Amino acid sequence: MGLTEKEAVERLKKQGENKLADGKRISAVGIFFSQFRDVMVMILLAATAISALLGEITDAVTIILIVLLNAILGFIQEFRTEKTLEALKSMTAPTAKCYRDGKPVVIPAKKLVTEDVIELEAGDRVPADCVLLKSVGLFTDEAMLTGESESVEKKTGLKTDFDNSLNKQNIIYCGTSITKGNCTAMVIATGTSTQMGQISTMLDDIDYKMTPLQKRLAELGKIVAIICIAVCILVFGAGILRGEDAFTMLMTGITIAIAAIPEGLPATVTIALALAVSRMMKQKALANKLHSIETLGCTSVICSDKTGTITENKMTVTEIHTCENVYNVSGMGYRTEGKICKGESNTPEKTDKNIALNELLQCGVLCNNASITLKNTKLFSNKPEKEWTVTGDATEIALLVCAAKTGITTEKLKNKWIKKAELPFDSETRYMAVLASCGDEKKCFYKGAGEVIIPLCSHYLNENGKILPITSNIKKQIESEIIAMSDKALRVLAFSYCTSDTLDNHEKQVFLGLMGMIDPPREEAKIAIKKCSSASIKTVMITGDHKNTAVAVAKKAGLLKGKMAMTGAELDKIPDSKLDGIINNYSVFARVEPAHKLRIVKSFRRKGEIVTMTGDGVNDAPAIKEADVGVAMGITGTDVTKQTADVILLDDNFGTLVNAVEQGRCVYSNIRKFVRYLLSCNIGEVLTMFLGILMGMPIVLLPVQLLLVNLVTDGLPAIALGMEPAEADIMTKPPRKSTEGFFAGGLMTKIIFRGIFIGLSTLASFSLAVHFGGTIEQGRTCALITLVVSQLIHVFECKSEEKSIFRINPFSNIKLIGAVIISLAILIIAVTFPQFQVIFETVSLTSNQLLTALGLSIAVPLLCGLFR
């Protein structure tokens, strides 16, 4: 059996080790230097060099420190996200039991080759894609590859079948796990040839993409570059026309152009994003990449996996039918909370008085190989909740959890009923049977498909414990109930028993009832989907599960809109061009494979949508990496998905994603606010200097005074604007379009006009002071006060793009109040304290000069507010 050691060595040389591809590697140095490709960063680097040449060493050192800070942060983020493939490798089985030279040996899984024969049992992870040679009651968990919540039955088929495509019953796949049974199998694919290997290849083939914020900042950088060049040319030209020295005017033009650069912008953006990361962390969302936070705010489509994301990934019994009554079961997942109530009643049913229900639940517990034990977990809340720790098949776990809601548990029954023999479930017989004894009484308990169990039943048990004959009408009623439950996408099991001391296929069994179960939607997911809808965000469910199940879950979750659903097979028949035309008509995609998920995400992106993809399994990883924002589940998510994702939901709560979207919208809104503030202020400064030169005035503000304005009074309020709380209506507006420019909505007009007013006010302050007998130093001091105070008032105007300064709440951001007070204090110190007057070349002012300077500062925002 199996290969000889010599054959295995030769094949290993040809095929290579059973491991995933190493992928595209970028050196740490390469990652670091790639951070300097941004247009804004290049402008700052040029400004650093020019400042150093002009002797402005303080400016040069400050700018280079800002650039290095951003480069280090970017390096850390990118280096961490390149660990995806390493996480995939850690999921492959480390060892394997295989036959070499006819003897069973344990070898490293990476040494496996095709046609190696291996043995596996419950709890083992499959080390390679294999075809079954022998199997006994074999079930595997393939959720990580297909998204199906139920264990998949595997059985021996054609032993020469080397096709390892998904959803084949005689193939077991690398990285999946054995949940029940055992098998002997032959390896048919290793390394990158396995299904998991193909996923790793897809991850490696997905190229890096710029986020919307990075694109908009690049756009902003180009605008700033154009402004700098234009200012330099205009100042140089104006000076030459006035007969000034050419070299002197060139240096002056360059100096003013550097003043036009908002040096604090990259740092302010970084700080705003970092603060958003901190706020999201408090709400149980961890951001792997800073820029992805803002991209979340642009999201127009959320593509979500079903199992474990929209649903609990925990099969739950929701309905029980006996011949006489229908019972609804409350409580989701593996929590102990919940009850079984008759019909529309809210009163828990007492099983000690309802013999039929009691026997049905006991049958579900006895005809079962799973186990549940109690544990306490806080579930990210202050009140601890009881939850079951579970092992075994998901369907059997659901039966145990349901019975436990009435106090019927394995622990209580094992002292009463003793198992004597078992007939395991098989896809041919489609039922499971257990022989058990209670004293002298012996019974066979049956659990299986309704169409198998019902024909074997001649009687049924009523609530009072009486055994009554099943009439043809009662049988029709049971069969119609099975159809109705199946139409709700419930998995239906029938239960019965007979008195016997053997496991033979007995007729004249006593029918106990039906149980219907489903992997239910999370309650918080329903709320989140509704909130997404109000924010004009389309939610799409993509799952490997059956179409009917997907549609039923989608209806319960409230996301089924447009056409019913599209399957992976239907998707394969449609070319990309046609898919792009109809994709917005669908909100559910079922029976899809990883390549389908990737294709769906790409289609939405081609339509100009900003796509967020959520998921927890390996099968979600390629689509998560392709999406504009990838979101992984922190508890149930695999390492692969977490490393691939931009954001991780630490509590697996779909609702947390909505909070993260709100933070993303808030971040972008705040970035627009402080960009508006910084550019308006810089335009005001440049205009002051430029018009002063053009009008033949002395230099209005000295370099040291401009440095004070740029690095202190500009910076602190801008950072504080990045901490603005979200506006009340932020989640009722539609998401921004991917084609929307940074200055959309008239932002550039506001910036230019406000910058002009700041510049003219500052020039007027200087001119009036000098005109009415003041010295040039007093004129500069007046101009400095007008410029700074104008900016500190303007920062409050920037709190809202829709409301005037008189309609906003100035105290909604205490940090902004603090920043303005600090900046104002620095100005007061610079113009009143003699030691600092020497440094900043300011002088004391008369009362009239001070009032004029302050009056010009207040006049423009006052007029703007009144007429807005």
Side-chain angles (χ1 to χ4, degrees):
M1 183 185 289
L3 301 172
T4 64
E5 191 64 38
K6 184 179 178 181
E7 288 173 330
V9 170
E10 289 176 356
R11 291 192 182 205
L12 190 62
K13 288 179 182 177
K14 293 179 181 177
Q15 299 172 3
E17 291 187 335
N18 177 33
K19 62 179 185 179
L20 302 177
D22 289 333
K24 299 173 184 176
R25 294 283 177 166
I26 306 173
S27 68
V29 175
I31 293 173
F32 181 74
F33 281 106
S34 69
Q35 309 304 315
F36 297 93
R37 295 173 186 165
D38 182 74
V39 175
M40 197 69 188
V41 172
M42 289 179 182
I43 293 171
L44 289 177
L45 288 173
T48 302
I50 294 168
S51 296
L53 289 172
L54 294 175
E56 301 293 339
I57 303 301
T58 306
D59 273 4
V61 170
T62 303
I63 296 170
I64 200 67
L65 286 175
I66 290 169
V67 171
L68 285 173
L69 171 66
N70 281 278
I72 290 167
L73 286 172
F75 168 77
I76 292 169
Q77 295 153 23
E78 192 169 334
F79 189 75
R80 180 170 52 184
T81 58
E82 289 302 317
K83 292 181 180 178
T84 301
L85 293 173
E86 292 176 20
L88 261 173
K89 290 175 187 175
S90 72
M91 294 190 66
T92 55
T95 60
K97 182 181 177 182
C98 83
Y99 286 88
R100 292 282 170 88
D101 296 320
K103 297 177 182 178
V105 291
V106 176
I107 64 169
K110 65 182 181 180
K111 300 297 182 184
L112 285 175
V113 295
T114 55
E115 295 192 34
D116 259 330
V117 176
I118 63 173
E119 288 189 350
L120 296 164
E121 59 186 23
D124 288 344
R125 182 171 285 162
V126 181
D129 288 1
C130 307
V131 62
L132 292 176
L133 303 178
K134 290 190 297 183
S135 66
V136 178
L138 187 67
F139 285 79
T140 62
D141 180 0
E142 295 182 355
M144 60 178 290
L145 284 176
T146 65
E148 287 196 44
S149 53
E150 296 179 19
S151 294
V152 180
E153 184 185 13
K154 296 291 182 177
K155 54 195 301 186
T156 307
L158 187 63
K159 297 176 184 178
T160 56
D161 183 2
F162 282 18
D163 177 12
N164 68 328
S165 56
L166 281 175
N167 299 315
K168 298 193 71 172
Q169 197 172 31
N170 67 323
I171 305 294
I172 53 177
Y173 301 98
C174 178
T176 62
S177 56
I178 309 296
T179 57
K180 285 199 299 187
N182 58 74
C183 70
T184 302
M186 182 173 68
V187 176
I188 59 172
T190 61
T192 55
S193 298
T194 64
Q195 283 292 326
M196 183 181 281
Q198 291 171 36
I199 291 175
S200 74
T201 303
M202 280 191 281
L203 282 174
D204 196 34
D205 289 341
I206 297 170
D207 295 327
Y208 169 79
K209 53 192 176 297
M210 290 180 72
T211 68
L213 179 60
Q214 287 171 321
K215 291 175 184 175
R216 289 180 174 100
L217 289 178
E219 172 195 335
L220 176 59
K222 290 172 185 175
I223 291 172
V224 169
I226 292 168
I227 291 172
C228 290
I229 294 168
V231 165
C232 190
I233 293 170
L234 286 171
V235 170
F236 177 77
I240 295 297
L241 290 173
R242 289 179 59 233
E244 302 285 350
D245 178 67
F247 181 75
T248 302
M249 292 316 301
L250 178 62
M251 291 298 101
T252 304
I254 291 172
T255 302
I256 296 174
I258 290 173
I261 299 172
E263 297 95 337
L265 180 58
T268 308
V269 170
T270 301
I271 291 167
L273 293 171
L275 290 170
V277 168
S278 177
R279 291 194 297 270
M280 286 172 61
M281 189 67 179
K282 291 175 183 176
Q283 297 174 341
K284 306 303 176 187
L286 171 65
N288 275 346
K289 303 167 188 174
L290 283 181
H291 283 271
S292 62
I293 300 167
E294 181 275 333
T295 314
L296 263 175
C298 304
T299 298
S300 56
V301 175
I302 296 178
C303 293
S304 176
D305 181 42
K306 176 184 74 70
T307 306
T309 307
I310 290 177
T311 67
E312 296 264 4
N313 194 17
K314 297 169 183 176
M315 292 296 286
T316 305
V317 175
T318 58
E319 285 185 26
I320 297 175
H321 292 239
T322 63
C323 283
E324 295 175 318
N325 291 296
V326 176
Y327 304 88
N328 292 308
V329 185
S330 63
M332 294 294 143
Y334 299 153
R335 296 172 192 166
T336 57
E337 61 184 16
K339 52 192 176 182
I340 300 174
C341 302
K342 186 185 294 183
E344 300 299 320
S345 169
N346 199 36
T347 305
E349 192 71 10
K350 295 181 179 179
T351 53
D352 58 338
K353 296 182 179 179
N354 189 330
I355 307 301
L357 181 60
N358 185 73
E359 289 292 320
L360 172 58
L361 295 172
Q362 282 195 55
C363 181
V365 172
L366 292 170
C367 208
N368 202 308
N369 286 314
S371 67
I372 60 173
T373 55
L374 271 181
K375 72 171 181 179
N376 286 325
T377 174
K378 288 190 176 181
L379 296 176
F380 293 105
S381 68
N382 294 324
K383 295 180 180 179
E385 284 187 45
K386 289 183 177 179
E387 185 173 288
W388 297 105
T389 301
V390 303
T391 55
D393 178 75
T395 299
E396 294 189 337
I397 291 168
L399 299 177
L400 294 182
V401 171
C402 177
K405 290 172 183 176
T406 66
I408 299 173
T409 64
T410 305
E411 288 296 313
K412 291 181 179 179
L413 291 182
K414 72 178 183 181
N415 297 323
K416 180 180 178 184
W417 289 94
I418 300 170
K419 287 187 181 182
K420 297 293 185 180
E422 178 183 318
L423 192 66
F425 180 89
D426 182 84
S427 60
E428 292 181 4
T429 61
R430 300 179 67 195
Y431 72 85
M432 174 184 179
V434 168
L435 177 64
S437 65
C438 178
D440 294 332
E441 184 182 11
K442 290 184 179 180
K443 284 184 180 180
C444 276
F445 295 94
Y446 295 86
K447 171 189 75 181
E451 55 267 36
V452 175
I453 297 295
I454 294 168
L456 301 176
C457 297
S458 58
H459 293 76
Y460 72 93
L461 190 70
N462 75 358
E463 281 189 19
N464 298 321
K466 291 184 178 180
I467 297 174
L468 303 172
I470 291 182
T471 63
S472 58
N473 286 337
I474 291 176
K475 277 198 175 184
K476 287 179 182 178
Q477 175 195 328
I478 296 170
E479 289 165 356
S480 64
E481 286 176 351
I482 290 174
I483 293 170
M485 293 169 77
S486 299
D487 287 343
K488 299 176 189 175
L490 296 177
R491 184 180 185 191
V492 184
L493 290 177
F495 299 83
S496 62
Y497 79 92
C498 68
T499 302
S500 175
D501 56 4
T502 68
L503 274 175
D504 294 335
N505 187 3
H506 295 283
E507 294 184 359
K508 297 186 179 180
Q509 294 178 20
V510 178
F511 178 74
L512 295 173
L514 307 169
M515 289 199 211
M517 62 195 75
I518 195 170
D519 181 15
R522 298 170 180 266
E523 288 303 317
E524 58 269 26
K526 296 178 185 177
I527 297 169
I529 289 166
K530 191 174 181 180
K531 285 184 178 178
C532 286
S533 180
S534 67
S536 300
I537 298 171
K538 180 183 176 70
T539 306
V540 178
M541 187 171 76
I542 307 175
T543 178
D545 225 331
H546 294 280
K547 185 175 181 178
N548 287 349
T549 304
V551 169
V553 170
K555 284 180 178 177
K556 289 186 177 182
L559 62 78
L560 192 63
K561 294 176 182 178
K563 296 188 178 180
M564 293 295 282
M566 182 185 287
T567 64
E570 292 168 340
L571 198 60
D572 286 332
K573 298 174 184 177
I574 302 173
D576 286 347
S577 56
K578 186 176 179 182
L579 178 62
D580 292 350
I582 64 172
I583 196 163
N584 281 324
N585 297 332
Y586 293 88
S587 55
V588 177
F589 294 87
R591 302 303 284 173
V592 296
E593 297 179 7
H596 293 136
K597 294 187 178 188
L598 193 58
R599 192 176 166 210
I600 291 164
V601 170
K602 285 182 175 180
S603 179
F604 275 119
R605 294 191 72 216
R606 284 195 299 271
K607 296 278 289 181
E609 306 286 0
I610 301 297
V611 182
T612 292
M613 173 74 192
T614 75
D616 57 359
V618 176
N619 59 323
D620 301 319
I624 281 176
K625 192 169 184 182
E626 170 65 28
D628 294 285
V629 182
V631 180
M633 300 296 121
I635 298 174
T636 58
T638 60
D639 287 343
V640 185
T641 316
K642 291 175 190 176
Q643 290 290 343
T644 304
D646 303 296
V647 177
I648 300 170
L649 304 182
L650 299 178
D651 57 358
D652 283 15
N653 189 338
F654 193 81
T656 302
L657 180 59
V658 177
N659 296 331
V661 169
E662 183 173 352
Q663 285 297 330
R665 291 189 174 192
C666 179
V667 163
Y668 185 72
S669 174
N670 288 349
I671 289 173
R672 277 175 62 98
K673 289 172 184 176
F674 61 65
V675 166
R676 174 187 174 187
Y677 173 70
L678 287 173
L679 290 187
S680 294
C681 294
N682 279 38
I683 287 172
E685 294 162 23
V686 169
L687 204 62
T688 298
M689 301 297 289
F690 174 64
L691 289 179
I693 292 170
L694 201 64
M695 295 165 67
M697 294 180 178
I699 294 176
V700 178
L701 290 170
L702 297 173
V704 70
Q705 293 168 343
L706 281 175
L707 184 64
L708 174 70
V709 174
N710 278 341
L711 300 183
V712 182
T713 58
D714 274 7
L716 288 176
I719 291 170
L721 267 180
M723 303 179 191
E724 276 288 301
E727 295 181 51
D729 61 347
I730 200 163
M731 285 300 286
T732 60
K733 298 175 181 177
R736 300 183 308 280
K737 295 187 180 297
S738 58
T739 54
E740 181 182 295
F742 188 85
F743 298 101
L747 184 63
M748 181 54 82
T749 303
K750 292 174 185 173
I751 290 170
I752 291 172
F753 275 98
R754 199 64 183 86
I756 290 172
F757 289 139
I758 289 173
L760 293 177
S761 299
T762 305
L763 272 177
S765 185
F766 177 86
S767 299
L768 288 171
V770 174
H771 180 74
F772 289 105
T775 64
I776 291 174
E777 288 75 17
Q778 285 177 319
R780 285 174 180 155
T781 304
C782 284
L784 179 65
I785 291 172
T786 301
L787 180 62
V788 172
V789 175
S790 293
Q791 292 178 355
L792 296 182
I793 294 173
H794 180 52
V795 77
F796 290 98
E797 292 180 293
C798 294
K799 283 170 66 73
S800 174
E801 291 187 36
E802 289 88 23
K803 298 177 182 177
S804 72
I805 196 168
F806 298 112
R807 292 172 57 207
I808 60 161
N809 177 9
F811 303 105
S812 62
N813 184 358
I814 299 301
K815 295 181 179 66
L816 181 60
I817 300 290
V820 168
I821 290 171
I822 291 170
S823 295
L824 200 57
I826 291 170
L827 175 65
I828 292 169
I829 290 168
V831 300
T832 57
F833 285 75
Q835 306 94 309
F836 291 96
Q837 284 180 334
V838 173
I839 295 171
F840 294 106
E841 299 186 46
T842 58
V843 294
S844 298
L845 302 176
T846 65
S847 299
N848 286 339
Q849 288 173 335
L850 182 60
L851 288 172
T852 301
L854 292 174
L856 287 168
S857 303
I858 297 168
V860 173
L862 188 66
L863 291 171
C864 289
L866 288 173
F867 292 102
R868 189 170 176 179

